[in-house]
Amino acid sequence: MHIVSINIGMPQTVTIDEKPLTTGIYKQPVNGPITVTKTHCIGDGQADLIHHGGPDKAICAYASEHFSFWEQVYHRSFTPGAFGENLTLFGLTENQVCIGDVYEVGTAVIQVSQPRQPCFKLAKRHGLKDLPLKVQETGYTGFYFRVLQEGSIQKGDPLTLIDRSPLALSIHDVNTIYYIDKRNVAAMKTIVAEPALSEDWRQSFIKRMER
């Protein structure tokens, strides 16, 4: 388990379909160490601060193992940063990672907080209208970390798992309940009982159960 690439970028306004779009999804690989804080990676930014960034979504991560799948589907290359992720990782897929997992990486300590929700800007960036839906259907969403201990990280750093919640809810399992098995109340009760789950996702499941 290690960092393949660290990708950062500030929001920019681009013209897509003859309309301006301000987005922070364009991330580029960087060399050398960067500092991760409680809310973001230094040098990185988001345009939509309601749905991106903040303590529960300080770092967005994506598994490099998925790139070959998307290349076969769309017949084009996908490289680090293609999904707007800050960390392109190897050895940490949605089946392997659980909500609440705590990792040491570099001098930082980070914790998995929620799956990543693909938005329309992913489709706009690549000119692929069905990409967000396919991301949901495959479960190849990526996920977010919160930062428990600020520190410095760099390409090649290993991630060492130092703690796992007794519930051991994988990102894949949580995605399945969120996007597919939407009426599984028993599973939702278990998910909301996980203290490390982000508050946004907890409230989404609570509201769904109430309905």
Side-chain angles (χ1 to χ4, degrees):
M1 301 182 292
H2 67 272
I3 298 175
V4 173
S5 178
I6 298 176
N7 319 293
I8 62 174
M10 296 302 293
Q12 56 183 287
T13 300
V14 295
T15 300
I16 299 177
D17 298 330
E18 300 182 349
K19 296 180 180 180
L21 176 68
T22 301
T23 175
I25 200 171
Y26 293 92
K27 309 295 185 188
Q28 298 297 324
V30 294
N31 295 317
I34 68 161
T35 299
V36 294
T37 73
K38 296 286 186 178
T39 57
H40 70 297
C41 302
I42 295 298
D44 187 61
Q46 296 83 30
D48 180 358
L49 296 178
I50 295 177
H51 298 102
H52 301 284
D56 280 342
K57 293 178 283 188
I59 303 172
C60 182
Y62 201 74
S64 61
E65 290 92 326
H66 298 329
F67 290 158
S68 61
F69 171 83
W70 296 118
E71 287 169 355
Q72 291 175 9
V73 172
Y74 291 110
H75 308 290
R76 63 170 66 180
S77 64
F78 288 84
T79 57
F83 287 80
E85 77 275 12
N86 300 119
L87 299 184
T88 309
L89 303 176
F90 177 81
L92 287 172
T93 67
E94 291 79 3
N95 284 308
Q96 297 164 307
V97 175
C98 295
I99 301 294
D101 280 358
V102 178
Y103 295 90
E104 286 182 340
V105 54
T107 60
V109 178
I110 58 180
Q111 182 182 47
V112 178
S113 58
Q114 67 166 71
R116 183 261 187 93
Q117 289 175 277
C119 72
F120 77 97
K121 292 181 180 179
L122 186 60
K124 293 294 186 181
R125 171 178 175 172
H126 294 287
L128 300 169
K129 293 182 179 180
D130 64 344
L131 182 55
L133 179 58
K134 285 190 180 296
V135 167
Q136 293 179 18
E137 291 174 343
T138 59
Y140 296 167
T141 59
F143 46 91
Y144 281 101
F145 290 106
R146 61 171 60 90
V147 176
L148 301 182
Q149 175 181 300
E150 298 181 347
S152 177
I153 62 175
Q154 61 184 332
K155 177 181 177 179
D157 278 348
L159 287 88
T160 302
L161 180 65
I162 60 174
D163 191 32
R164 170 162 285 180
S165 168
L167 293 178
L169 298 167
S170 73
I171 294 293
H172 174 270
D173 291 343
V174 175
N175 275 334
T176 298
I177 301 303
Y178 194 86
Y179 294 115
I180 301 173
D181 193 9
K182 298 180 180 182
R183 295 182 180 273
N184 191 332
V185 174
M188 285 187 276
K189 287 181 178 178
T190 300
I191 292 170
V192 300
E194 170 52 61
L197 182 69
S198 71
E199 194 57 28
D200 282 349
W201 273 61
R202 190 187 320 281
Q203 290 304 317
S204 292
F205 280 120
I206 289 173
K207 290 177 182 177
R208 186 179 295 179
M209 287 189 290
E210 290 174 347
R211 290 197 297 270

mmCIF file of all heavy atoms in Angstrom, residues 3-9 25-34 44 67 78-88 125 155:
data_model
loop_
_atom_site.group_PDB
_atom_site.id
_atom_site.type_symbol
_atom_site.label_atom_id
_atom_site.label_comp_id
_atom_site.label_asym_id
_atom_site.label_seq_id
_atom_site.Cartn_x
_atom_site.Cartn_y
_atom_site.Cartn_z
ATOM 1 N N ILE A 3 1.607 5.480 -1.934
ATOM 2 C CA ILE A 3 1.167 6.599 -2.760
ATOM 3 C C ILE A 3 1.831 6.506 -4.123
ATOM 4 O O ILE A 3 3.059 6.517 -4.229
ATOM 5 C CB ILE A 3 1.515 7.944 -2.097
ATOM 6 C CG1 ILE A 3 0.795 8.106 -0.755
ATOM 7 C CG2 ILE A 3 1.145 9.100 -3.035
ATOM 8 C CD1 ILE A 3 1.189 9.365 -0.001
ATOM 9 N N VAL A 4 1.013 6.409 -5.163
ATOM 10 C CA VAL A 4 1.512 6.408 -6.539
ATOM 11 C C VAL A 4 1.776 7.834 -6.993
ATOM 12 O O VAL A 4 2.765 8.120 -7.674
ATOM 13 C CB VAL A 4 0.496 5.728 -7.478
ATOM 14 C CG1 VAL A 4 0.924 5.864 -8.940
ATOM 15 C CG2 VAL A 4 0.329 4.264 -7.104
ATOM 16 N N SER A 5 0.881 8.742 -6.614
ATOM 17 C CA SER A 5 1.003 10.130 -7.043
ATOM 18 C C SER A 5 0.233 11.027 -6.090
ATOM 19 O O SER A 5 -0.804 10.640 -5.557
ATOM 20 C CB SER A 5 0.450 10.300 -8.469
ATOM 21 O OG SER A 5 0.511 11.647 -8.896
ATOM 22 N N ILE A 6 0.765 12.233 -5.879
ATOM 23 C CA ILE A 6 0.046 13.286 -5.152
ATOM 24 C C ILE A 6 -0.352 14.333 -6.174
ATOM 25 O O ILE A 6 0.488 14.817 -6.947
ATOM 26 C CB ILE A 6 0.905 13.915 -4.051
ATOM 27 C CG1 ILE A 6 1.282 12.863 -3.009
ATOM 28 C CG2 ILE A 6 0.164 15.081 -3.392
ATOM 29 C CD1 ILE A 6 2.210 13.382 -1.922
ATOM 30 N N ASN A 7 -1.636 14.687 -6.178
ATOM 31 C CA ASN A 7 -2.175 15.573 -7.215
ATOM 32 C C ASN A 7 -2.890 16.756 -6.569
ATOM 33 O O ASN A 7 -3.758 16.560 -5.714
ATOM 34 C CB ASN A 7 -3.157 14.796 -8.096
ATOM 35 C CG ASN A 7 -2.662 13.398 -8.412
ATOM 36 O OD1 ASN A 7 -1.668 13.225 -9.116
ATOM 37 N ND2 ASN A 7 -3.329 12.379 -7.875
ATOM 38 N N ILE A 8 -2.534 17.947 -6.978
ATOM 39 C CA ILE A 8 -3.173 19.131 -6.423
ATOM 40 C C ILE A 8 -3.498 20.117 -7.539
ATOM 41 O O ILE A 8 -2.985 20.021 -8.651
ATOM 42 C CB ILE A 8 -2.302 19.825 -5.353
ATOM 43 C CG1 ILE A 8 -0.990 20.322 -5.963
ATOM 44 C CG2 ILE A 8 -2.051 18.894 -4.178
ATOM 45 C CD1 ILE A 8 -0.156 21.142 -4.984
ATOM 46 N N GLY A 9 -4.365 21.067 -7.228
ATOM 47 C CA GLY A 9 -4.726 22.098 -8.190
ATOM 48 C C GLY A 9 -5.725 23.058 -7.583
ATOM 49 O O GLY A 9 -6.597 22.654 -6.816
ATOM 50 N N ILE A 25 -11.533 20.261 -10.111
ATOM 51 C CA ILE A 25 -11.332 18.850 -10.438
ATOM 52 C C ILE A 25 -10.041 18.607 -11.217
ATOM 53 O O ILE A 25 -9.584 17.475 -11.320
ATOM 54 C CB ILE A 25 -12.538 18.293 -11.218
ATOM 55 C CG1 ILE A 25 -12.565 16.760 -11.128
ATOM 56 C CG2 ILE A 25 -12.523 18.763 -12.669
ATOM 57 C CD1 ILE A 25 -13.818 16.129 -11.662
ATOM 58 N N TYR A 26 -9.448 19.654 -11.755
ATOM 59 C CA TYR A 26 -8.221 19.475 -12.532
ATOM 60 C C TYR A 26 -7.018 19.442 -11.595
ATOM 61 O O TYR A 26 -6.486 20.482 -11.202
ATOM 62 C CB TYR A 26 -8.075 20.598 -13.559
ATOM 63 C CG TYR A 26 -9.120 20.552 -14.645
ATOM 64 C CD1 TYR A 26 -10.313 21.262 -14.516
ATOM 65 C CD2 TYR A 26 -8.927 19.784 -15.786
ATOM 66 C CE1 TYR A 26 -11.284 21.215 -15.509
ATOM 67 C CE2 TYR A 26 -9.897 19.725 -16.786
ATOM 68 C CZ TYR A 26 -11.072 20.441 -16.635
ATOM 69 O OH TYR A 26 -12.037 20.388 -17.622
ATOM 70 N N LYS A 27 -6.607 18.258 -11.230
ATOM 71 C CA LYS A 27 -5.460 18.062 -10.340
ATOM 72 C C LYS A 27 -4.271 17.556 -11.150
ATOM 73 O O LYS A 27 -4.428 16.704 -12.031
ATOM 74 C CB LYS A 27 -5.786 17.045 -9.249
ATOM 75 C CG LYS A 27 -7.084 17.301 -8.488
ATOM 76 C CD LYS A 27 -7.063 18.568 -7.672
ATOM 77 C CE LYS A 27 -8.332 18.708 -6.831
ATOM 78 N NZ LYS A 27 -8.444 20.019 -6.162
ATOM 79 N N GLN A 28 -3.088 18.033 -10.826
ATOM 80 C CA GLN A 28 -1.877 17.634 -11.520
ATOM 81 C C GLN A 28 -0.869 17.038 -10.533
ATOM 82 O O GLN A 28 -0.754 17.511 -9.402
ATOM 83 C CB GLN A 28 -1.237 18.837 -12.227
ATOM 84 C CG GLN A 28 -2.108 19.464 -13.299
ATOM 85 C CD GLN A 28 -2.402 18.512 -14.449
ATOM 86 O OE1 GLN A 28 -1.557 17.718 -14.829
ATOM 87 N NE2 GLN A 28 -3.615 18.607 -15.004
ATOM 88 N N PRO A 29 -0.156 15.988 -10.957
ATOM 89 C CA PRO A 29 0.864 15.394 -10.082
ATOM 90 C C PRO A 29 1.941 16.411 -9.715
ATOM 91 O O PRO A 29 2.311 17.261 -10.534
ATOM 92 C CB PRO A 29 1.439 14.259 -10.923
ATOM 93 C CG PRO A 29 0.353 13.917 -11.899
ATOM 94 C CD PRO A 29 -0.310 15.232 -12.218
ATOM 95 N N VAL A 30 2.423 16.315 -8.491
ATOM 96 C CA VAL A 30 3.489 17.205 -8.027
ATOM 97 C C VAL A 30 4.640 16.369 -7.484
ATOM 98 O O VAL A 30 4.449 15.257 -6.991
ATOM 99 C CB VAL A 30 2.987 18.169 -6.929
ATOM 100 C CG1 VAL A 30 1.960 19.125 -7.497
ATOM 101 C CG2 VAL A 30 2.416 17.412 -5.741
ATOM 102 N N ASN A 31 5.832 16.916 -7.577
ATOM 103 C CA ASN A 31 7.013 16.275 -7.017
ATOM 104 C C ASN A 31 7.331 16.875 -5.658
ATOM 105 O O ASN A 31 6.983 18.014 -5.372
ATOM 106 C CB ASN A 31 8.208 16.456 -7.950
ATOM 107 C CG ASN A 31 8.020 15.743 -9.283
ATOM 108 O OD1 ASN A 31 7.558 14.609 -9.324
ATOM 109 N ND2 ASN A 31 8.367 16.418 -10.370
ATOM 110 N N GLY A 32 7.984 16.089 -4.843
ATOM 111 C CA GLY A 32 8.363 16.589 -3.541
ATOM 112 C C GLY A 32 7.256 16.441 -2.529
ATOM 113 O O GLY A 32 6.096 16.175 -2.880
ATOM 114 N N PRO A 33 7.573 16.624 -1.260
ATOM 115 C CA PRO A 33 6.573 16.465 -0.199
ATOM 116 C C PRO A 33 5.573 17.610 -0.167
ATOM 117 O O PRO A 33 5.874 18.722 -0.599
ATOM 118 C CB PRO A 33 7.428 16.455 1.074
ATOM 119 C CG PRO A 33 8.638 17.256 0.716
ATOM 120 C CD PRO A 33 8.904 16.968 -0.730
ATOM 121 N N ILE A 34 4.368 17.302 0.318
ATOM 122 C CA ILE A 34 3.374 18.340 0.582
ATOM 123 C C ILE A 34 2.854 18.162 1.996
ATOM 124 O O ILE A 34 2.957 17.072 2.582
ATOM 125 C CB ILE A 34 2.197 18.302 -0.412
ATOM 126 C CG1 ILE A 34 1.361 17.037 -0.213
ATOM 127 C CG2 ILE A 34 2.664 18.402 -1.840
ATOM 128 C CD1 ILE A 34 -0.017 17.162 -0.810
ATOM 129 N N ASP A 44 -3.748 23.000 -2.661
ATOM 130 C CA ASP A 44 -4.920 22.454 -3.329
ATOM 131 C C ASP A 44 -6.157 23.234 -2.906
ATOM 132 O O ASP A 44 -6.202 23.814 -1.820
ATOM 133 C CB ASP A 44 -5.090 20.980 -2.968
ATOM 134 C CG ASP A 44 -6.195 20.304 -3.773
ATOM 135 O OD1 ASP A 44 -6.063 20.268 -5.012
ATOM 136 O OD2 ASP A 44 -7.164 19.826 -3.171
ATOM 137 N N PHE A 67 -7.675 2.283 -13.181
ATOM 138 C CA PHE A 67 -7.424 2.988 -14.436
ATOM 139 C C PHE A 67 -7.529 2.062 -15.643
ATOM 140 O O PHE A 67 -8.076 2.438 -16.692
ATOM 141 C CB PHE A 67 -6.051 3.665 -14.413
ATOM 142 C CG PHE A 67 -5.953 4.847 -13.488
ATOM 143 C CD1 PHE A 67 -4.734 5.276 -13.016
ATOM 144 C CD2 PHE A 67 -7.088 5.541 -13.096
ATOM 145 C CE1 PHE A 67 -4.630 6.363 -12.162
ATOM 146 C CE2 PHE A 67 -7.009 6.639 -12.242
ATOM 147 C CZ PHE A 67 -5.768 7.047 -11.777
ATOM 148 N N PHE A 78 -6.223 6.958 -18.704
ATOM 149 C CA PHE A 78 -6.542 7.647 -17.459
ATOM 150 C C PHE A 78 -5.281 7.631 -16.601
ATOM 151 O O PHE A 78 -4.696 6.578 -16.358
ATOM 152 C CB PHE A 78 -7.692 6.956 -16.725
ATOM 153 C CG PHE A 78 -9.033 7.155 -17.373
ATOM 154 C CD1 PHE A 78 -9.445 6.353 -18.423
ATOM 155 C CD2 PHE A 78 -9.876 8.171 -16.944
ATOM 156 C CE1 PHE A 78 -10.674 6.539 -19.034
ATOM 157 C CE2 PHE A 78 -11.110 8.373 -17.547
ATOM 158 C CZ PHE A 78 -11.512 7.551 -18.598
ATOM 159 N N THR A 79 -4.859 8.795 -16.166
ATOM 160 C CA THR A 79 -3.613 8.939 -15.429
ATOM 161 C C THR A 79 -3.884 9.552 -14.052
ATOM 162 O O THR A 79 -5.000 10.036 -13.790
ATOM 163 C CB THR A 79 -2.631 9.825 -16.215
ATOM 164 O OG1 THR A 79 -3.251 11.096 -16.476
ATOM 165 C CG2 THR A 79 -2.248 9.168 -17.534
ATOM 166 N N PRO A 80 -2.911 9.528 -13.145
ATOM 167 C CA PRO A 80 -3.122 10.089 -11.812
ATOM 168 C C PRO A 80 -3.722 11.490 -11.850
ATOM 169 O O PRO A 80 -3.282 12.350 -12.615
ATOM 170 C CB PRO A 80 -1.711 10.088 -11.209
ATOM 171 C CG PRO A 80 -1.078 8.875 -11.821
ATOM 172 C CD PRO A 80 -1.589 8.877 -13.240
ATOM 173 N N GLY A 81 -4.737 11.690 -11.038
ATOM 174 C CA GLY A 81 -5.456 12.958 -10.984
ATOM 175 C C GLY A 81 -6.677 12.989 -11.872
ATOM 176 O O GLY A 81 -7.465 13.943 -11.820
ATOM 177 N N ALA A 82 -6.870 11.936 -12.683
ATOM 178 C CA ALA A 82 -7.976 11.927 -13.659
ATOM 179 C C ALA A 82 -9.340 11.993 -13.001
ATOM 180 O O ALA A 82 -10.310 12.463 -13.605
ATOM 181 C CB ALA A 82 -7.883 10.681 -14.540
ATOM 182 N N PHE A 83 -9.444 11.510 -11.765
ATOM 183 C CA PHE A 83 -10.731 11.523 -11.075
ATOM 184 C C PHE A 83 -10.792 12.634 -10.019
ATOM 185 O O PHE A 83 -11.622 12.604 -9.119
ATOM 186 C CB PHE A 83 -11.011 10.154 -10.463
ATOM 187 C CG PHE A 83 -11.373 9.124 -11.496
ATOM 188 C CD1 PHE A 83 -10.392 8.501 -12.250
ATOM 189 C CD2 PHE A 83 -12.705 8.822 -11.761
ATOM 190 C CE1 PHE A 83 -10.720 7.583 -13.234
ATOM 191 C CE2 PHE A 83 -13.047 7.908 -12.742
ATOM 192 C CZ PHE A 83 -12.050 7.286 -13.480
ATOM 193 N N GLY A 84 -9.908 13.598 -10.155
ATOM 194 C CA GLY A 84 -9.896 14.729 -9.238
ATOM 195 C C GLY A 84 -9.353 14.374 -7.868
ATOM 196 O O GLY A 84 -9.526 15.145 -6.915
ATOM 197 N N GLU A 85 -8.662 13.229 -7.782
ATOM 198 C CA GLU A 85 -8.160 12.772 -6.480
ATOM 199 C C GLU A 85 -6.849 13.444 -6.105
ATOM 200 O O GLU A 85 -6.032 13.767 -6.976
ATOM 201 C CB GLU A 85 -7.983 11.250 -6.485
ATOM 202 C CG GLU A 85 -6.738 10.720 -7.204
ATOM 203 C CD GLU A 85 -6.891 10.520 -8.694
ATOM 204 O OE1 GLU A 85 -7.902 10.993 -9.250
ATOM 205 O OE2 GLU A 85 -5.995 9.899 -9.307
ATOM 206 N N ASN A 86 -6.665 13.658 -4.806
ATOM 207 C CA ASN A 86 -5.398 14.166 -4.294
ATOM 208 C C ASN A 86 -4.345 13.073 -4.204
ATOM 209 O O ASN A 86 -3.171 13.309 -4.468
ATOM 210 C CB ASN A 86 -5.577 14.786 -2.910
ATOM 211 C CG ASN A 86 -6.544 15.932 -2.888
ATOM 212 O OD1 ASN A 86 -7.557 15.892 -2.199
ATOM 213 N ND2 ASN A 86 -6.264 16.975 -3.664
ATOM 214 N N LEU A 87 -4.781 11.877 -3.801
ATOM 215 C CA LEU A 87 -3.862 10.750 -3.672
ATOM 216 C C LEU A 87 -4.281 9.637 -4.623
ATOM 217 O O LEU A 87 -5.410 9.132 -4.544
ATOM 218 C CB LEU A 87 -3.847 10.196 -2.248
ATOM 219 C CG LEU A 87 -3.411 11.130 -1.119
ATOM 220 C CD1 LEU A 87 -3.366 10.366 0.194
ATOM 221 C CD2 LEU A 87 -2.066 11.774 -1.430
ATOM 222 N N THR A 88 -3.398 9.285 -5.533
ATOM 223 C CA THR A 88 -3.575 8.079 -6.328
ATOM 224 C C THR A 88 -2.815 6.980 -5.591
ATOM 225 O O THR A 88 -1.612 7.121 -5.340
ATOM 226 C CB THR A 88 -3.009 8.250 -7.747
ATOM 227 O OG1 THR A 88 -3.537 9.453 -8.322
ATOM 228 C CG2 THR A 88 -3.376 7.059 -8.614
ATOM 229 N N ARG A 125 -15.362 17.115 -17.234
ATOM 230 C CA ARG A 125 -13.914 17.115 -17.445
ATOM 231 C C ARG A 125 -13.508 16.184 -18.586
ATOM 232 O O ARG A 125 -12.664 16.521 -19.411
ATOM 233 C CB ARG A 125 -13.179 16.704 -16.167
ATOM 234 C CG ARG A 125 -11.692 16.493 -16.424
ATOM 235 C CD ARG A 125 -10.891 16.137 -15.222
ATOM 236 N NE ARG A 125 -9.509 15.853 -15.621
ATOM 237 C CZ ARG A 125 -8.516 15.650 -14.781
ATOM 238 N NH1 ARG A 125 -8.733 15.692 -13.485
ATOM 239 N NH2 ARG A 125 -7.306 15.382 -15.229
ATOM 240 N N LYS A 155 5.196 11.172 -2.728
ATOM 241 C CA LYS A 155 5.069 10.031 -3.619
ATOM 242 C C LYS A 155 5.951 8.890 -3.133
ATOM 243 O O LYS A 155 7.102 9.098 -2.756
ATOM 244 C CB LYS A 155 5.464 10.443 -5.034
ATOM 245 C CG LYS A 155 5.448 9.327 -6.059
ATOM 246 C CD LYS A 155 5.871 9.842 -7.419
ATOM 247 C CE LYS A 155 5.925 8.724 -8.449
ATOM 248 N NZ LYS A 155 6.320 9.228 -9.797
#
